[in-house]
Amino acid sequence: MKIVIVENYEEMSKRAAVIFASQIVLKPDSVLGLATGSTTIGMYKELINIYGRDALDFSKVSTFNLDEYYKLDEDNEQSYNYFMNENFFNHVNIKRDNINMPNGKSEDTVRDCARYDKKIVDLGGIDLQVLGIGANGHIGFNEPNTNFEAETRLVELEKQTIKANSRFFNSIGEVPTKAVSMGIKTIMQSKKIILLASGIEKADAIEKAVNGKITPELPASILNLHKDVIIIVDRDAASLLNK
Ligand code: GLP
């Protein structure tokens, strides 16, 4: 696990965007694993900037998002479909057919999750996966005490996560209590992973993920067992490291 400590959110976003851009330049048909959340918005902005300078071509890239809320319409402004369109997909030349999101409105979630995982495998696996982290150490929507063997599936959200994410909704009652999330196994099969964290509220989770034991209680701790992980953290998120 390589840890890169940067000054602030902007620098974290730029570092992450450079890693993504290099991946696409070196392999134009890369399979990218994408994340939502306020942490990744700056990275997407940077990638859009690089694209605007004619320095990046997304036309051969395929993407798979980590998660989607259960039973939210795609045009609901809080859905991750909406987030991705607004913050990234609408601004670059990615092909709509190459965009994959977990289906939060499936009639048969088990079948569609299995298809999602199979499509990733059929495309040769995820080349580069970006992750944020929840204050409770979740990655994707794999909450504490998650099964490390799990693939994409329907999950229940923790109270803490519902509360944290309620900042985007009109009221906490509107936050879905379930989501469809890529599993830890799916994430761990990615060839390269970058995890981003910014802000003091992530410091505890980062400290436990880096220095603590590998346990389902802190889902991000599993990343210690992956051979190619870069954690990019700003000063605040890194503030409990090396103490
Ligand atoms: C959300 C998402 C995660 C994200 C995390 C942190 O619930 N499911 O993929 O990494 O929580 O979100 P934020 O970046 O807004 O702090």
Side-chain angles (χ1 to χ4, degrees):
M1 203 141 90
K2 186 176 163 197
I3 298 158
V4 179
I5 300 174
V6 297
E7 210 49 52
N8 52 33
Y9 180 85
E10 199 190 348
E11 210 187 311
M12 176 197 76
S13 305
K14 283 190 173 155
R15 288 281 190 116
V18 165
I19 295 173
F20 260 88
S22 324
Q23 173 66 41
I24 297 164
V25 168
L26 291 172
K27 187 176 179 226
D29 61 346
S30 286
V31 180
L32 305 176
L34 301 181
T36 51
S38 14
T39 309
T40 51
I41 291 179
M43 180 192 83
Y44 292 129
K45 273 202 184 118
E46 282 300 322
L47 283 170
I48 293 165
N49 283 341
I50 301 172
Y51 171 74
R53 299 199 301 269
D54 284 337
L56 215 43
D57 176 16
F58 291 89
S59 64
K60 295 192 181 72
V61 156
S62 301
T63 64
F64 287 84
N65 263 77
L66 277 174
D67 44 18
E68 177 56 291
Y69 285 117
Y70 187 54
K71 300 284 184 209
L72 270 198
D73 284 327
E74 284 180 17
D75 56 1
N76 184 308
E77 291 187 15
Q78 304 315 330
S79 77
Y80 288 167
N81 269 278
Y82 191 93
F83 175 102
M84 289 307 301
N85 286 331
E86 285 292 303
N87 290 298
F88 189 46
F89 296 146
N90 287 349
H91 309 283
V92 295
N93 68 334
I94 188 160
K95 294 209 172 90
R96 286 278 144 187
D97 284 350
N98 292 347
I99 294 172
N100 299 278
M101 299 286 301
N103 184 358
K105 293 200 76 192
S106 169
E107 296 296 317
D108 185 344
T109 307
V110 173
R111 178 200 63 197
D112 284 352
C113 287
R115 283 184 184 165
Y116 199 72
D117 287 322
K118 182 170 184 309
K119 195 166 178 190
I120 294 174
V121 173
D122 289 348
L123 284 172
I126 291 174
D127 292 300
L128 175 61
Q129 172 72 57
V130 64
L131 300 173
I133 186 168
N136 62 3
H138 75 228
I139 48 177
F141 266 135
N142 296 287
E143 297 281 31
N145 299 313
T146 191
N147 174 3
F148 281 160
E149 288 294 305
E151 300 186 287
T152 305
R153 74 224 181 281
L154 187 63
V155 294
E156 301 267 348
L157 304 185
E158 273 211 339
K159 274 202 186 113
Q160 186 185 354
T161 302
I162 293 171
K163 191 160 173 263
N165 289 2
S166 68
R167 67 190 193 276
F168 301 112
F169 291 78
N170 291 326
S171 72
I172 195 161
E174 285 181 20
V175 187
T177 57
K178 293 180 186 173
V180 178
S181 179
M182 224 184 245
I184 296 288
K185 185 172 173 186
T186 324
I187 293 171
M188 287 295 279
Q189 283 167 344
S190 308
K191 290 165 201 156
K192 188 181 185 76
I193 296 175
I194 50 177
L195 183 143
L196 310 181
S198 162
I200 198 76
E201 61 285 0
K202 302 292 172 69
D204 186 50
I206 288 295
E207 195 280 326
K208 287 183 176 136
V210 172
N211 295 330
K213 61 175 188 209
I214 299 167
T215 165
E217 284 164 32
L218 205 290
S221 64
I222 189 74
L223 298 174
N224 285 287
L225 298 182
H226 193 282
K227 64 178 182 349
D228 193 354
V229 176
I230 305 177
I231 297 191
I232 308 175
V233 275
D234 70 5
R235 291 245 165 251
D236 286 342
S239 58
L240 297 178
L241 293 176
N242 303 322
K243 278 196 175 163

